[in-house]
């Protein structure tokens, strides 16, 4: 399968025309640790857990790795709960 990088934080799920996901390849990320800042972008603000999980199903995402602070991890927990409520086999880490 592919590894997708969702640009613009959770906004990348709900505004994919503006911030389409990137298919990440080993070549693209082999020196990412030498770069400062963020490679995929970020955003602050609300999220719609139902729309994000809908998009994860549409894009056939079965694993979501969230990197960030307390707010990011609180949102990740909400996504995991929503996926569980729907009995979806989606892991959110």
């Amino acid at each position: 399968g592919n590894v997708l990088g969702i640009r613009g934080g959770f906004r990348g799920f709900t505004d994919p025309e503006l911030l389409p996901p990137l298919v990440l390849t080993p070549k693209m990320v082999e020196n990412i640790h030498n770069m400062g800042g963020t490679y995929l972008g970020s955003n602050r603000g609300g999220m719609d857990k139902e729309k994000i999980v809908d998009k994860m199903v549409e894009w056939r995402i079965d694993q979501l790795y969230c990197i960030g602070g307390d707010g990011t991890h609180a949102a990740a927990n909400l996504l995991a709960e929503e996926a569980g409520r729907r009995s979806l086999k989606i892991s959110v880490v």
Side-chain angles (χ1 to χ4, degrees):
N2 290 326
V3 175
L4 293 179
I6 307 301
R7 296 196 282 184
F10 292 118
R11 179 178 171 211
F13 283 106
T14 57
D15 195 355
E17 288 78 29
L18 179 61
L19 301 164
L22 293 175
V23 176
L24 300 176
T25 64
K27 182 75 173 155
M28 287 176 73
V29 299
E30 68 184 353
N31 291 309
I32 199 169
H33 60 287
N34 294 322
M35 300 170 59
T38 173
Y39 187 74
L40 295 171
S42 62
N43 96 308
R44 300 181 73 77
M47 56 159 248
D48 185 323
K49 66 183 178 186
E50 290 87 6
K51 286 182 181 179
I52 290 173
V53 172
D54 288 345
K55 192 58 71 170
M56 289 175 66
V57 170
E58 179 184 331
W59 289 344
R60 301 163 110 188
I61 294 172
D62 58 10
Q63 297 178 35
L64 180 65
Y65 296 88
C66 300
I67 301 169
D70 291 345
T72 298
H73 293 288
N77 189 55
L78 293 175
L79 295 175
E81 289 174 354
E82 178 64 17
R85 188 186 67 75
R86 298 185 194 190
S87 299
L88 299 171
K89 293 185 179 187
I90 295 175
S91 295
V92 181
V93 180

